[in-house]
Amino acid sequence: MDFIVEVLGMKPDKELYQFCKNIFFLRKKYGYSQNQMASIMKVSLHTLQRIESGDVPNRLLVDVFTHLASFFNCRISDLFIPMGEGEEYFG
């Protein structure tokens, strides 16, 4: 059975908003297309586009976070903190 992260409320909280910004940041930093990033995350292109626009789906599989953390060799918690500089979290 898959574990699901439930996102409650009409607007994502600060950490979820930061996660959305970080997804865009990582994709641009490493030169991935939206299709490539969606594949890395194992989500549909539409879901990635929603995330990048700040619209977090109400339900995300925990696997999305574990795939990203594994691919970018970081902790899941790193995905929720500002990466404007990025280098100290992702090399």
Side-chain angles (χ1 to χ4, degrees):
M1 173 177 230
D2 289 324
F3 289 98
I4 297 175
V5 175
E6 294 284 347
V7 180
L8 303 175
M10 296 301 289
K11 294 183 180 182
D13 63 14
K14 190 167 120 177
E15 288 81 15
L16 285 174
Y17 180 72
Q18 188 62 54
F19 170 76
C20 295
K21 288 175 58 175
N22 290 344
I23 295 304
F24 180 80
F25 173 80
L26 289 169
R27 184 172 69 78
K28 291 296 187 179
K29 178 178 179 177
Y30 292 101
Y32 294 118
S33 69
Q34 285 187 325
N35 282 323
Q36 290 170 317
M37 192 66 160
S39 178
I40 291 165
M41 295 173 67
K42 301 194 185 307
V43 299
S44 70
L45 176 59
H46 177 70
T47 297
L48 173 64
Q49 290 168 336
R50 284 182 60 193
I51 291 169
E52 284 193 352
S53 71
D55 180 17
V56 180
N58 288 335
R59 296 163 58 119
L60 282 177
L61 293 176
V62 171
D63 288 350
V64 170
F65 305 111
T66 57
H67 290 306
L68 281 168
S70 175
F71 187 84
F72 290 106
N73 194 29
C74 70
R75 298 177 307 237
I76 291 174
S77 61
D78 292 337
L79 299 170
F80 295 89
I81 56 178
M83 293 183 187
E85 304 303 316
E87 275 53 46
E88 67 267 22
Y89 302 109
F90 299 88

Coordinates of all heavy atoms in Angstrom, one line a residue:
M1 N 0.8 -1.2 0.0 CA 0.0 0.0 0.0 C 0.9 1.2 0.0 O 1.9 1.3 0.7 CB -0.9 0.0 1.2 CG -1.7 1.2 1.4 SD -2.8 1.1 2.8 CE -4.3 1.7 2.0
D2 N 0.5 2.2 -0.8 CA 1.3 3.5 -0.9 C 0.9 4.4 0.2 O -0.3 4.5 0.6 CB 1.0 4.2 -2.2 CG 1.7 3.4 -3.4 OD1 2.7 2.9 -3.2 OD2 1.1 3.4 -4.5
F3 N 1.9 5.1 0.8 CA 1.6 6.1 1.8 C 1.3 7.4 1.0 O 2.0 7.7 0.0 CB 2.8 6.3 2.7 CG 3.0 5.2 3.6 CD1 3.9 4.2 3.4 CD2 2.2 5.1 4.8 CE1 4.0 3.1 4.2 CE2 2.3 4.0 5.7 CZ 3.3 3.0 5.4
I4 N 0.4 8.2 1.5 CA 0.0 9.4 0.8 C 0.1 10.6 1.8 O -0.2 10.5 3.0 CB -1.5 9.3 0.3 CG1 -1.6 8.2 -0.7 CG2 -1.9 10.6 -0.2 CD1 -2.9 7.9 -1.2
V5 N 0.7 11.7 1.3 CA 0.8 12.9 2.1 C -0.5 13.7 1.8 O -0.7 14.0 0.6 CB 2.1 13.7 1.7 CG1 2.1 15.0 2.4 CG2 3.3 12.9 2.0
E6 N -1.2 14.0 2.8 CA -2.4 14.8 2.6 C -2.0 16.3 2.8 O -1.4 16.6 3.8 CB -3.5 14.4 3.6 CG -4.1 13.0 3.4 CD -5.0 12.9 2.3 OE1 -5.5 14.0 1.7 OE2 -5.3 11.8 1.9
V7 N -2.4 17.1 1.9 CA -2.1 18.6 2.0 C -3.4 19.2 2.4 O -4.4 19.2 1.6 CB -1.5 19.1 0.7 CG1 -1.3 20.6 0.9 CG2 -0.3 18.4 0.3
L8 N -3.5 19.7 3.6 CA -4.8 20.3 4.1 C -4.8 21.8 3.9 O -3.7 22.5 3.9 CB -5.0 20.0 5.6 CG -5.0 18.5 5.9 CD1 -5.1 18.3 7.4 CD2 -6.1 17.8 5.2
G9 N -6.0 22.4 3.7 CA -6.1 23.8 3.6 C -6.1 24.3 2.2 O -5.8 23.6 1.3
M10 N -6.6 25.5 2.0 CA -6.8 26.0 0.6 C -5.4 26.5 0.0 O -5.3 26.4 -1.2 CB -7.7 27.2 0.6 CG -9.2 26.8 1.0 SD -9.9 25.6 -0.1 CE -10.1 26.5 -1.5
K11 N -4.5 26.9 0.9 CA -3.2 27.4 0.4 C -2.1 26.6 1.0 O -2.2 26.3 2.2 CB -3.0 28.9 0.7 CG -4.0 29.8 0.0 CD -3.6 31.3 0.4 CE -4.6 32.2 -0.3 NZ -4.3 33.6 -0.1
P12 N -1.1 26.2 0.2 CA 0.0 25.5 0.8 C 0.7 26.3 1.9 O 0.8 27.5 1.7 CB 0.9 25.1 -0.4 CG 0.5 26.0 -1.5 CD -0.9 26.5 -1.2
D13 N 1.2 25.6 2.9 CA 2.0 26.4 3.9 C 3.3 26.8 3.4 O 3.7 26.4 2.2 CB 2.1 25.6 5.2 CG 2.8 24.3 5.0 OD1 3.5 24.1 4.0 OD2 2.8 23.4 6.0
K14 N 4.1 27.5 4.2 CA 5.4 28.0 3.7 C 6.3 26.9 3.2 O 7.0 27.1 2.2 CB 6.0 28.7 4.9 CG 7.2 29.5 4.6 CD 7.6 30.4 5.7 CE 8.9 30.1 6.3 NZ 9.4 31.0 7.3
E15 N 6.4 25.8 3.9 CA 7.3 24.7 3.5 C 6.9 24.1 2.1 O 7.7 23.8 1.3 CB 7.4 23.7 4.5 CG 8.2 24.1 5.8 CD 7.4 24.9 6.7 OE1 6.1 24.9 6.6 OE2 8.0 25.5 7.6
L16 N 5.6 23.9 1.9 CA 5.1 23.4 0.7 C 5.3 24.3 -0.5 O 5.7 23.9 -1.6 CB 3.7 22.9 0.8 CG 3.4 21.7 1.6 CD1 1.9 21.4 1.7 CD2 4.1 20.5 0.9
Y17 N 5.1 25.6 -0.2 CA 5.4 26.6 -1.2 C 6.9 26.6 -1.6 O 7.3 26.7 -2.7 CB 5.0 28.0 -0.7 CG 5.2 29.1 -1.7 CD1 4.5 29.2 -2.9 CD2 6.3 30.0 -1.5 CE1 4.7 30.2 -3.8 CE2 6.5 31.0 -2.5 CZ 5.8 31.1 -3.6 OH 6.0 32.0 -4.6
Q18 N 7.7 26.5 -0.6 CA 9.2 26.4 -0.8 C 9.5 25.2 -1.6 O 10.4 25.2 -2.5 CB 10.0 26.5 0.5 CG 11.5 26.6 0.3 CD 11.8 27.9 -0.3 OE1 11.5 29.0 0.1 NE2 12.6 27.8 -1.4
F19 N 8.9 24.1 -1.3 CA 9.1 22.9 -2.1 C 8.8 23.1 -3.6 O 9.6 22.7 -4.4 CB 8.2 21.7 -1.5 CG 8.2 20.5 -2.4 CD1 9.2 19.6 -2.5 CD2 7.0 20.3 -3.2 CE1 9.2 18.5 -3.3 CE2 7.0 19.2 -4.0 CZ 8.1 18.3 -4.1
C20 N 7.7 23.8 -3.9 CA 7.3 24.1 -5.2 C 8.4 25.0 -5.9 O 8.8 24.7 -7.1 CB 6.0 24.9 -5.3 SG 4.6 23.9 -4.7
K21 N 8.9 26.0 -5.2 CA 10.0 26.8 -5.8 C 11.3 26.0 -6.0 O 11.9 26.2 -7.0 CB 10.3 28.0 -4.8 CG 9.2 29.0 -4.8 CD 9.4 30.1 -3.7 CE 10.7 30.8 -3.9 NZ 10.9 32.0 -3.0
N22 N 11.5 25.1 -5.1 CA 12.8 24.3 -5.2 C 12.7 23.3 -6.4 O 13.7 23.1 -7.0 CB 13.0 23.5 -3.9 CG 13.4 24.4 -2.8 OD1 13.8 25.6 -3.0 ND2 13.3 23.9 -1.5
I23 N 11.5 22.8 -6.7 CA 11.4 21.9 -7.8 C 11.8 22.7 -9.1 O 12.5 22.2 -9.9 CB 10.0 21.3 -7.9 CG1 9.7 20.4 -6.7 CG2 9.8 20.6 -9.2 CD1 10.6 19.3 -6.5
F24 N 11.2 23.9 -9.2 CA 11.6 24.7 -10.4 C 13.1 25.0 -10.4 O 13.7 24.9 -11.4 CB 10.7 26.0 -10.4 CG 11.0 26.9 -11.5 CD1 10.4 26.6 -12.8 CD2 11.8 28.0 -11.4 CE1 10.7 27.5 -13.8 CE2 12.1 28.8 -12.4 CZ 11.5 28.6 -13.7
F25 N 13.6 25.4 -9.2 CA 15.0 25.8 -9.1 C 15.9 24.6 -9.6 O 16.8 24.8 -10.3 CB 15.3 26.2 -7.7 CG 16.8 26.4 -7.4 CD1 17.4 27.5 -7.8 CD2 17.5 25.4 -6.8 CE1 18.8 27.7 -7.5 CE2 18.9 25.5 -6.5 CZ 19.5 26.7 -6.9
L26 N 15.6 23.4 -9.0 CA 16.4 22.2 -9.4 C 16.3 21.9 -10.8 O 17.3 21.5 -11.5 CB 16.0 21.0 -8.5 CG 16.3 21.1 -7.0 CD1 15.6 20.0 -6.3 CD2 17.9 21.0 -6.9
R27 N 15.1 22.0 -11.4 CA 15.0 21.7 -12.8 C 15.8 22.6 -13.7 O 16.5 22.1 -14.6 CB 13.5 21.7 -13.2 CG 13.2 21.3 -14.6 CD 11.8 21.2 -14.9 NE 11.1 22.4 -14.9 CZ 11.1 23.3 -16.0 NH1 11.9 23.1 -17.0 NH2 10.4 24.4 -15.9
K28 N 15.7 23.9 -13.4 CA 16.5 24.8 -14.1 C 18.0 24.7 -13.9 O 18.8 24.8 -14.9 CB 16.0 26.3 -13.8 CG 14.6 26.6 -14.3 CD 14.6 26.5 -15.8 CE 13.3 27.0 -16.3 NZ 13.2 27.0 -17.8
K29 N 18.4 24.5 -12.7 CA 19.8 24.4 -12.3 C 20.5 23.3 -13.1 O 21.6 23.4 -13.6 CB 20.0 24.2 -10.8 CG 21.4 24.1 -10.4 CD 21.6 23.9 -8.9 CE 23.1 23.7 -8.6 NZ 23.3 23.7 -7.2
Y30 N 19.8 22.2 -13.2 CA 20.4 21.0 -13.8 C 20.0 20.8 -15.3 O 20.4 19.9 -15.9 CB 20.1 19.7 -13.0 CG 20.8 19.7 -11.7 CD1 20.1 20.1 -10.5 CD2 22.2 19.5 -11.6 CE1 20.8 20.1 -9.3 CE2 22.8 19.5 -10.4 CZ 22.1 19.8 -9.2 OH 22.8 19.9 -8.0
G31 N 19.2 21.8 -15.8 CA 18.9 21.8 -17.2 C 17.9 20.7 -17.7 O 17.9 20.3 -18.8
Y32 N 17.0 20.3 -16.8 CA 16.1 19.3 -17.1 C 14.8 19.9 -17.8 O 14.4 21.0 -17.3 CB 15.6 18.5 -15.9 CG 16.7 17.6 -15.4 CD1 17.2 17.8 -14.1 CD2 17.3 16.6 -16.1 CE1 18.2 17.0 -13.5 CE2 18.3 15.8 -15.6 CZ 18.8 16.1 -14.3 OH 19.8 15.3 -13.8
S33 N 14.2 19.3 -18.7 CA 13.0 19.7 -19.3 C 11.9 19.3 -18.2 O 12.1 18.5 -17.3 CB 12.7 19.0 -20.6 OG 12.4 17.6 -20.4
Q34 N 10.7 19.8 -18.4 CA 9.6 19.4 -17.6 C 9.3 18.0 -17.7 O 9.0 17.3 -16.7 CB 8.3 20.3 -17.9 CG 8.4 21.7 -17.3 CD 7.1 22.4 -17.5 OE1 6.4 22.2 -18.4 NE2 6.8 23.3 -16.5
N35 N 9.4 17.4 -18.9 CA 9.1 16.0 -19.1 C 10.2 15.2 -18.3 O 9.8 14.2 -17.7 CB 9.1 15.6 -20.6 CG 7.9 16.0 -21.3 OD1 6.8 15.9 -20.7 ND2 8.0 16.4 -22.5
Q36 N 11.4 15.6 -18.4 CA 12.5 14.8 -17.7 C 12.3 14.9 -16.2 O 12.4 13.9 -15.5 CB 13.9 15.4 -18.0 CG 14.3 15.1 -19.5 CD 15.5 15.9 -19.8 OE1 15.7 17.1 -19.5 NE2 16.4 15.2 -20.5
M37 N 11.9 16.1 -15.7 CA 11.7 16.2 -14.2 C 10.5 15.4 -13.8 O 10.6 14.8 -12.7 CB 11.6 17.7 -13.9 CG 11.7 18.0 -12.4 SD 13.3 17.6 -11.7 CE 13.3 18.6 -10.2
A38 N 9.5 15.5 -14.5 CA 8.3 14.7 -14.2 C 8.7 13.2 -14.1 O 8.2 12.5 -13.2 CB 7.2 14.9 -15.2
S39 N 9.5 12.7 -15.0 CA 10.0 11.3 -15.0 C 10.8 11.0 -13.8 O 10.6 10.0 -13.1 CB 10.8 11.1 -16.3 OG 11.2 9.7 -16.3
I40 N 11.7 12.0 -13.4 CA 12.5 11.8 -12.2 C 11.6 11.7 -11.0 O 11.8 10.8 -10.1 CB 13.5 13.0 -12.0 CG1 14.5 13.0 -13.1 CG2 14.1 13.0 -10.6 CD1 15.3 14.3 -13.3
M41 N 10.6 12.5 -10.9 CA 9.7 12.6 -9.8 C 8.6 11.4 -9.8 O 8.0 11.2 -8.8 CB 8.9 13.9 -9.7 CG 9.8 15.1 -9.4 SD 9.0 16.7 -9.6 CE 7.8 16.6 -8.2
K42 N 8.5 10.8 -11.0 CA 7.5 9.8 -11.2 C 6.1 10.3 -11.0 O 5.2 9.7 -10.4 CB 7.8 8.5 -10.4 CG 9.2 7.9 -10.6 CD 9.3 6.6 -10.1 CE 10.7 6.0 -10.2 NZ 11.3 6.0 -11.5
V43 N 5.9 11.5 -11.6 CA 4.5 12.1 -11.7 C 4.2 12.4 -13.1 O 5.1 12.4 -14.0 CB 4.5 13.4 -10.8 CG1 4.7 13.0 -9.3 CG2 5.4 14.5 -11.3
S44 N 3.0 12.8 -13.4 CA 2.6 13.2 -14.7 C 3.1 14.6 -15.0 O 3.5 15.4 -14.1 CB 1.1 13.2 -14.9 OG 0.5 14.3 -14.1
L45 N 3.2 15.0 -16.3 CA 3.7 16.3 -16.6 C 2.7 17.3 -16.1 O 3.2 18.4 -15.5 CB 3.7 16.4 -18.2 CG 4.1 17.8 -18.7 CD1 5.4 18.3 -18.2 CD2 4.0 17.8 -20.2
H46 N 1.4 17.1 -16.1 CA 0.4 18.0 -15.5 C 0.7 18.2 -14.1 O 0.6 19.4 -13.6 CB -1.0 17.4 -15.8 CG -2.0 18.3 -15.2 ND1 -2.4 19.5 -15.7 CD2 -2.8 18.1 -14.1 CE1 -3.3 20.0 -14.9 NE2 -3.6 19.2 -14.0
T47 N 1.0 17.2 -13.3 CA 1.2 17.3 -11.9 C 2.5 18.2 -11.6 O 2.5 19.1 -10.8 CB 1.4 15.9 -11.2 OG1 0.2 15.2 -11.3 CG2 1.8 16.1 -9.7
L48 N 3.5 18.0 -12.4 CA 4.7 18.8 -12.3 C 4.4 20.2 -12.6 O 4.8 21.1 -11.8 CB 5.8 18.3 -13.2 CG 7.1 19.2 -13.2 CD1 7.7 19.3 -11.9 CD2 8.0 18.8 -14.3
Q49 N 3.6 20.5 -13.6 CA 3.3 21.9 -14.0 C 2.5 22.5 -12.8 O 2.7 23.7 -12.5 CB 2.5 21.9 -15.3 CG 3.4 21.5 -16.5 CD 2.6 21.3 -17.7 OE1 1.5 20.9 -17.7 NE2 3.3 21.5 -18.9
R50 N 1.6 21.8 -12.2 CA 0.9 22.3 -11.1 C 1.8 22.7 -9.9 O 1.7 23.7 -9.3 CB -0.2 21.3 -10.6 CG -1.4 21.2 -11.5 CD -2.4 20.2 -11.0 NE -2.9 20.6 -9.6 CZ -3.6 19.9 -8.8 NH1 -3.9 18.6 -9.2 NH2 -4.0 20.3 -7.6
I51 N 2.7 21.7 -9.6 CA 3.6 22.0 -8.5 C 4.5 23.2 -8.8 O 4.7 24.1 -7.9 CB 4.5 20.7 -8.3 CG1 3.7 19.6 -7.7 CG2 5.7 21.0 -7.3 CD1 4.3 18.2 -7.7
E52 N 5.0 23.3 -10.0 CA 5.9 24.4 -10.3 C 5.1 25.8 -10.3 O 5.8 26.8 -10.1 CB 6.5 24.2 -11.7 CG 7.7 23.3 -11.7 CD 8.5 23.3 -12.9 OE1 8.2 24.0 -13.9 OE2 9.6 22.6 -12.9
S53 N 3.8 25.7 -10.5 CA 3.1 27.0 -10.4 C 2.6 27.3 -9.0 O 1.9 28.3 -8.8 CB 1.9 26.9 -11.4 OG 0.9 26.0 -10.9
G54 N 3.0 26.4 -8.0 CA 2.6 26.7 -6.6 C 1.3 26.0 -6.2 O 0.9 26.2 -5.1
D55 N 0.7 25.2 -7.1 CA -0.5 24.6 -6.8 C -0.2 23.1 -6.4 O -0.1 22.2 -7.3 CB -1.4 24.6 -8.0 CG -2.8 23.9 -7.8 OD1 -3.1 23.7 -6.6 OD2 -3.4 23.6 -8.8
V56 N 0.0 22.9 -5.1 CA 0.3 21.5 -4.7 C -0.9 20.7 -4.7 O -2.0 21.0 -4.2 CB 0.9 21.6 -3.2 CG1 1.2 20.2 -2.7 CG2 2.1 22.5 -3.2
P57 N -0.8 19.5 -5.4 CA -2.0 18.6 -5.4 C -2.4 18.2 -4.0 O -1.5 18.2 -3.1 CB -1.5 17.4 -6.1 CG -0.3 17.9 -7.0 CD 0.3 19.0 -6.2
N58 N -3.6 17.9 -3.7 CA -4.1 17.6 -2.4 C -3.5 16.3 -1.9 O -3.4 16.1 -0.7 CB -5.6 17.4 -2.4 CG -6.3 18.8 -2.5 OD1 -5.8 19.8 -2.2 ND2 -7.5 18.8 -3.1
R59 N -3.1 15.4 -2.8 CA -2.5 14.2 -2.4 C -1.2 13.9 -3.2 O -1.3 14.0 -4.4 CB -3.5 13.0 -2.6 CG -4.7 13.1 -1.7 CD -5.8 12.2 -2.2 NE -5.4 10.9 -2.3 CZ -6.0 9.9 -1.6 NH1 -7.0 10.2 -0.8 NH2 -5.6 8.7 -1.7
L60 N -0.1 13.7 -2.5 CA 1.1 13.3 -3.2 C 1.6 12.0 -2.5 O 1.6 11.9 -1.3 CB 2.2 14.4 -3.0 CG 2.1 15.6 -3.9 CD1 3.2 16.6 -3.5 CD2 2.2 15.3 -5.4
L61 N 2.1 11.1 -3.3 CA 2.7 9.9 -2.8 C 4.0 10.3 -2.1 O 4.8 11.1 -2.6 CB 2.9 8.9 -3.9 CG 1.7 8.2 -4.5 CD1 2.1 7.3 -5.6 CD2 0.8 7.5 -3.5
V62 N 4.3 9.7 -1.0 CA 5.6 9.9 -0.3 C 6.7 9.6 -1.3 O 7.8 10.2 -1.2 CB 5.6 9.1 1.0 CG1 7.0 9.1 1.6 CG2 4.6 9.6 2.0
D63 N 6.5 8.6 -2.2 CA 7.5 8.3 -3.1 C 8.0 9.4 -3.9 O 9.2 9.4 -4.4 CB 7.0 7.2 -4.1 CG 6.8 5.9 -3.5 OD1 7.2 5.7 -2.3 OD2 6.2 5.0 -4.1
V64 N 7.2 10.5 -4.2 CA 7.7 11.6 -4.9 C 8.8 12.3 -4.2 O 9.9 12.6 -4.8 CB 6.5 12.7 -5.1 CG1 7.0 14.0 -5.6 CG2 5.4 12.1 -6.0
F65 N 8.7 12.4 -2.9 CA 9.8 13.0 -2.1 C 11.0 12.1 -2.0 O 12.2 12.6 -2.1 CB 9.3 13.4 -0.7 CG 8.1 14.2 -0.7 CD1 6.8 13.7 -0.3 CD2 8.2 15.5 -1.2 CE1 5.7 14.5 -0.4 CE2 7.0 16.4 -1.2 CZ 5.8 15.9 -0.8
T66 N 10.8 10.8 -1.9 CA 11.9 9.9 -1.8 C 12.7 9.8 -3.1 O 13.9 9.7 -3.1 CB 11.5 8.5 -1.3 OG1 10.5 7.9 -2.1 CG2 11.0 8.6 0.1
H67 N 11.9 9.8 -4.2 CA 12.6 9.8 -5.5 C 13.5 11.0 -5.7 O 14.6 10.9 -6.2 CB 11.6 9.7 -6.7 CG 10.8 8.4 -6.8 ND1 11.5 7.2 -6.9 CD2 9.5 8.2 -6.9 CE1 10.6 6.2 -7.0 NE2 9.4 6.8 -7.0
L68 N 13.0 12.1 -5.4 CA 13.7 13.4 -5.5 C 15.0 13.4 -4.6 O 16.1 13.7 -5.1 CB 12.9 14.6 -5.2 CG 11.9 15.1 -6.3 CD1 10.9 16.1 -5.7 CD2 12.7 15.7 -7.4
A69 N 14.8 13.0 -3.4 CA 15.9 13.0 -2.4 C 17.0 12.0 -2.9 O 18.2 12.3 -2.8 CB 15.4 12.6 -1.0
S70 N 16.6 10.9 -3.4 CA 17.5 9.9 -3.8 C 18.3 10.4 -5.1 O 19.5 10.3 -5.2 CB 16.8 8.6 -4.1 OG 17.7 7.6 -4.7
F71 N 17.5 10.9 -6.0 CA 18.1 11.4 -7.3 C 19.1 12.5 -7.1 O 20.1 12.5 -7.7 CB 17.0 11.8 -8.3 CG 17.5 12.2 -9.6 CD1 17.7 11.2 -10.6 CD2 17.8 13.5 -10.0 CE1 18.2 11.4 -11.8 CE2 18.3 13.8 -11.2 CZ 18.5 12.7 -12.2
F72 N 18.7 13.5 -6.2 CA 19.6 14.6 -6.0 C 20.5 14.4 -4.8 O 21.2 15.4 -4.3 CB 18.8 15.9 -5.8 CG 18.1 16.3 -7.1 CD1 16.8 16.2 -7.3 CD2 18.9 16.9 -8.1 CE1 16.2 16.6 -8.5 CE2 18.4 17.3 -9.3 CZ 17.0 17.1 -9.5
N73 N 20.5 13.2 -4.2 CA 21.4 12.9 -3.1 C 21.3 13.8 -2.0 O 22.3 14.5 -1.6 CB 22.9 12.8 -3.6 CG 23.8 12.1 -2.7 OD1 23.3 11.2 -1.9 ND2 25.1 12.4 -2.7
C74 N 20.1 14.0 -1.4 CA 19.9 14.9 -0.3 C 18.9 14.2 0.7 O 18.4 13.2 0.4 CB 19.4 16.2 -0.8 SG 17.7 16.1 -1.5
R75 N 18.6 14.9 1.7 CA 17.6 14.5 2.7 C 16.3 15.0 2.2 O 16.2 16.1 1.5 CB 17.9 15.1 4.1 CG 19.2 14.6 4.7 CD 19.4 15.2 6.0 NE 19.3 16.7 5.9 CZ 20.2 17.6 6.2 NH1 21.3 17.1 6.7 NH2 20.0 18.9 6.0
I76 N 15.2 14.4 2.5 CA 13.9 14.9 2.1 C 13.6 16.2 2.7 O 13.1 17.1 2.0 CB 12.8 13.9 2.6 CG1 12.9 12.6 1.7 CG2 11.4 14.5 2.4 CD1 11.9 11.5 2.2
S77 N 14.1 16.5 3.9 CA 13.9 17.8 4.6 C 14.5 18.9 3.8 O 14.1 20.1 3.8 CB 14.3 17.7 6.0 OG 15.7 17.5 6.1
D78 N 15.6 18.6 3.1 CA 16.3 19.6 2.3 C 15.4 20.2 1.2 O 15.6 21.3 0.7 CB 17.6 19.1 1.6 CG 18.7 18.8 2.6 OD1 18.6 19.3 3.7 OD2 19.5 17.9 2.3
L79 N 14.4 19.4 0.7 CA 13.5 19.8 -0.3 C 12.6 20.9 0.1 O 11.9 21.6 -0.7 CB 12.7 18.6 -0.9 CG 13.6 17.5 -1.5 CD1 12.7 16.3 -1.7 CD2 14.3 18.0 -2.7
F80 N 12.5 21.2 1.4 CA 11.5 22.1 1.9 C 12.1 23.4 2.5 O 11.5 24.2 3.1 CB 10.7 21.4 3.0 CG 9.8 20.3 2.5 CD1 10.3 19.0 2.4 CD2 8.6 20.6 2.0 CE1 9.6 18.0 1.9 CE2 7.8 19.5 1.5 CZ 8.3 18.3 1.4
I81 N 13.5 23.6 2.3 CA 14.1 24.8 2.8 C 14.7 25.5 1.6 O 14.9 25.0 0.6 CB 15.2 24.4 3.8 CG1 16.3 23.5 3.2 CG2 14.7 23.8 5.1 CD1 17.4 23.1 4.1
P82 N 14.8 26.9 1.8 CA 15.3 27.7 0.6 C 16.6 27.2 0.0 O 17.5 26.8 0.7 CB 15.4 29.1 1.2 CG 14.5 29.1 2.4 CD 14.6 27.7 3.0
M83 N 16.6 27.1 -1.3 CA 17.7 26.7 -2.1 C 18.2 27.8 -3.0 O 18.9 27.5 -4.0 CB 17.4 25.5 -3.0 CG 17.0 24.3 -2.3 SD 16.7 23.0 -3.5 CE 16.2 21.7 -2.4
G84 N 17.9 29.0 -2.7 CA 18.3 30.1 -3.6 C 19.8 30.0 -4.0 O 20.1 30.2 -5.2
E85 N 20.6 29.7 -3.1 CA 22.0 29.5 -3.3 C 22.2 28.1 -3.8 O 23.0 27.9 -4.7 CB 22.9 29.8 -2.1 CG 22.7 31.2 -1.5 CD 22.9 32.3 -2.5 OE1 23.9 32.2 -3.2 OE2 22.1 33.2 -2.5
G86 N 21.6 27.2 -3.2 CA 21.5 25.8 -3.6 C 22.8 25.0 -3.4 O 22.7 23.8 -3.1
E87 N 24.0 25.5 -3.6 CA 25.2 24.8 -3.5 C 25.4 24.0 -2.2 O 26.0 23.0 -2.2 CB 26.4 25.6 -3.9 CG 26.7 25.8 -5.4 CD 25.5 26.3 -6.2 OE1 24.8 27.2 -5.8 OE2 25.2 25.7 -7.2
E88 N 25.0 24.6 -1.1 CA 25.3 23.9 0.1 C 24.4 22.7 0.3 O 24.7 21.8 1.2 CB 25.1 24.9 1.4 CG 23.7 25.3 1.6 CD 23.4 26.7 0.9 OE1 24.1 27.0 0.0 OE2 22.5 27.3 1.4
Y89 N 23.3 22.6 -0.5 CA 22.4 21.4 -0.3 C 22.6 20.4 -1.5 O 22.5 19.3 -1.4 CB 21.0 21.9 -0.3 CG 20.7 22.8 0.9 CD1 20.5 24.1 0.7 CD2 20.8 22.3 2.2 CE1 20.3 25.0 1.7 CE2 20.6 23.2 3.2 CZ 20.3 24.5 3.0 OH 20.1 25.3 4.1
F90 N 22.9 21.0 -2.7 CA 23.0 20.2 -3.8 C 24.3 20.5 -4.6 O 24.5 21.7 -5.0 CB 21.8 20.4 -4.8 CG 20.5 20.0 -4.1 CD1 19.8 20.9 -3.3 CD2 20.1 18.7 -4.2 CE1 18.7 20.6 -2.7 CE2 18.9 18.4 -3.5 CZ 18.2 19.3 -2.8
G91 N 25.1 19.6 -4.8 CA 26.4 19.9 -5.5 C 26.5 19.6 -6.9 O 26.1 19.0 -7.7

